[in-house]
Amino acid sequence: MKDLIDKLAAGHDPTDEEWKRLIEGEYDRTLLYAEADRIRRRHYGTDVYIRGLIEVSSYCRNDCLYCGIRRSNFHAERYRLSKEQILECCRIGYGLGFRTYVLQGGEDSFYTTEYVAELVREIKRRYPDCAVTLSLGEREKPDYQRWYDAGADRYLLRHETAGKTHYGRLHPAELSYDHRIQCLYHLKEIGYQVGCGFMVGSPYQTTEDLIADMRFMRELQPHMVGIGPFIPHHDTPFRDKAQGSLERTLTMVALTRLLLPQALIPSTTALGTIHPQGRELGLKAGANVVMPNLSPVSVRKQYALYDNKICTGDEAAECIECMKRRVASAGYQIAETRGDWKGSLGEKKGR
């Protein structure tokens, strides 16, 4: 198996059978994690980049079957942050050493194209040495262009699964797999640093679906990839479905590092939710980003995409010193920089 791992790290395009062996085969995963760690150190050393996550709204027009803030969840507590609240989060984060802000929320029509553009312009005016990442779902290309022109640097839009049939089993009929994928290509065309991503262990997922994810990412060449385990939420149709496994999630993180050596890969909050050392294990498997929560403490529990999400303690941005110690315990160090992608595809890396 080590030969196959080495071939992938050297740029080999695996066959479906080879991918299947890498994903579900019985072998010593420490070989895979060690190679992923070697590759990430080659490109990023021991630096781990911090992103200040600001969860701007728990309203969402969509009804995805796995998500706790789906529009049909009438038990969800809804909130929206004002511009003043978001800017206050940025102020606090800047003092804590954050140089990237991630504005994430449900697909909420309250945040119009111009509203978001004005907000981005103001953040960049106040903090010109910081990057702004948006994660506000599917929009049309002119909207994305407007936000980019306002100063947004990056955009995160998880594709969730590259298996088209599987996508249809996770989402309501009005959501289009083709439109989701087109959005990602539009974002790249505009010039964003683009992030995609997928769940591991989501209902009905097959190994073939995970292979489709890897083939899609090889084609897209994203700058960032978010990978986390599926965790059920008690107020969704998937409440009784099994949680994604730690080992399978770490396997996909490591394989993604080998597939995309220069990618920015978060060790996700979901990993930290399913295992007390989940984020440290993610870093050791090739991840190089952590995203502490800068949202107001009063709303953190309301942005509940899945059950038992960690919202306080080391996850919170206020405990950045705790995060630094945990990252150091895994053999890395927090870098208080923008943490731009270090690739060589010719795209604009930072503004």
Side-chain angles (χ1 to χ4, degrees):
M1 183 59 77
K2 188 171 187 312
D3 289 347
L4 184 51
I5 293 171
D6 291 344
K7 284 171 63 180
L8 177 59
H12 171 66
D13 185 5
T15 65
D16 283 0
E17 186 55 40
E18 287 173 330
W19 274 125
K20 189 172 184 179
R21 288 171 56 203
L22 287 164
I23 293 169
E24 66 176 31
E26 294 185 11
Y27 63 95
D28 183 358
R29 289 295 195 276
T30 60
L31 296 174
L32 174 63
Y33 304 153
E35 182 62 15
D37 185 56
R38 185 187 71 80
I39 294 296
R40 67 92 75 198
R41 287 173 186 262
R42 188 173 80 195
H43 294 284
Y44 291 99
T46 57
D47 285 350
V48 172
Y49 301 125
I50 53 172
R51 316 302 200 199
L53 178 62
I54 305 171
E55 295 163 335
V56 299
S57 173
S58 65
Y59 285 88
C60 190
R61 66 185 180 185
N62 293 335
D63 215 17
C64 304
L65 278 68
Y66 50 82
C67 185
I69 63 169
R70 64 197 304 262
R71 70 167 186 265
S72 291
N73 180 9
F74 301 112
H75 297 109
E77 296 183 70
R78 309 291 182 176
Y79 72 89
R80 292 186 180 104
L81 298 185
S82 67
K83 287 180 184 176
E84 292 72 24
Q85 287 176 303
I86 294 168
L87 291 169
E88 177 63 9
C89 292
C90 293
R91 186 192 67 78
I92 292 170
Y94 196 86
L96 291 168
F98 290 84
R99 295 299 179 266
T100 286
Y101 304 116
V102 180
L103 276 53
Q104 183 180 80
E107 295 199 14
D108 183 355
S109 59
F110 175 84
Y111 294 95
T112 64
T113 303
E114 184 52 34
Y115 187 105
V116 174
E118 290 178 2
L119 179 59
V120 170
R121 280 193 291 269
E122 184 60 22
I123 294 172
K124 296 292 279 194
R125 186 188 70 79
R126 296 188 186 192
Y127 310 103
D129 56 333
C130 293
V132 173
T133 301
L134 301 177
S135 183
L136 301 173
E138 295 181 40
R139 299 279 185 134
E140 297 308 312
K141 190 174 183 181
D143 303 315
Y144 291 145
Q145 184 70 58
R146 186 84 163 272
W147 296 342
Y148 185 78
D149 292 343
D153 301 274
R154 308 176 186 139
Y155 202 98
L156 305 177
L157 180 65
R158 285 195 178 195
H159 64 281
E160 300 300 0
T161 176
K164 192 168 184 177
T165 299
H166 185 220
Y167 187 91
R169 302 190 76 177
L170 301 180
H171 299 90
E174 66 263 23
L175 289 186
S176 161
Y177 169 83
D178 291 334
H179 187 263
R180 176 69 61 101
I181 300 304
Q182 187 61 65
C183 284
L184 286 163
Y185 280 101
H186 282 161
L187 289 161
K188 281 205 78 175
E189 289 165 8
I190 290 167
Y192 284 93
Q193 292 179 49
V194 176
C196 65
F198 57 96
M199 291 182 290
V200 178
S202 55
Y204 316 114
Q205 185 180 70
T206 65
T207 300
E208 287 69 29
D209 292 320
L210 291 171
I211 293 171
D213 287 316
M214 304 310 279
R215 295 206 177 285
F216 167 67
M217 291 192 298
R218 180 181 285 277
E219 177 184 310
L220 178 66
Q221 291 291 302
H223 310 88
M224 305 168 284
V225 182
I227 302 168
F230 164 75
I231 304 175
H233 187 286
H234 64 280
D235 281 325
T236 70
F238 290 161
R239 63 181 65 85
D240 297 322
K241 300 296 185 182
Q243 175 178 283
S245 80
L246 177 69
E247 181 182 86
R248 180 61 61 89
T249 304
L250 294 175
T251 295
M252 299 313 298
V253 168
L255 290 173
T256 299
R257 172 59 65 199
L258 300 188
L259 180 74
L260 302 167
Q262 297 160 324
L264 297 160
I265 303 175
S267 191
T268 59
T269 299
L271 266 175
T273 297
I274 68 169
H275 190 283
Q277 297 292 311
R279 280 168 298 184
E280 290 90 333
L281 293 170
L283 294 174
K284 291 179 179 180
N288 63 332
V289 171
V290 290
M291 297 173 64
N293 201 328
L294 272 177
S295 305
V297 174
S298 60
V299 303
R300 287 179 190 169
K301 291 185 182 297
Q302 296 175 43
Y303 196 78
L305 306 184
Y306 48 82
D307 282 348
N308 304 313
K309 178 186 173 187
I310 48 179
C311 300
T312 57
D314 290 355
E315 158 61 12
E318 293 84 349
C319 200
I320 191 65
E321 294 304 318
C322 309
M323 181 69 76
K324 288 179 179 178
R325 289 194 293 272
R326 295 187 69 157
V327 168
S329 74
Y332 310 97
Q333 62 187 2
I334 293 290
E336 295 183 358
T337 69
R338 285 171 47 113
D340 283 302
W341 177 74
K342 291 185 178 179
S344 55
L345 297 179
E347 287 93 342
K348 190 180 294 183
K349 293 193 286 185
R351 299 185 293 174

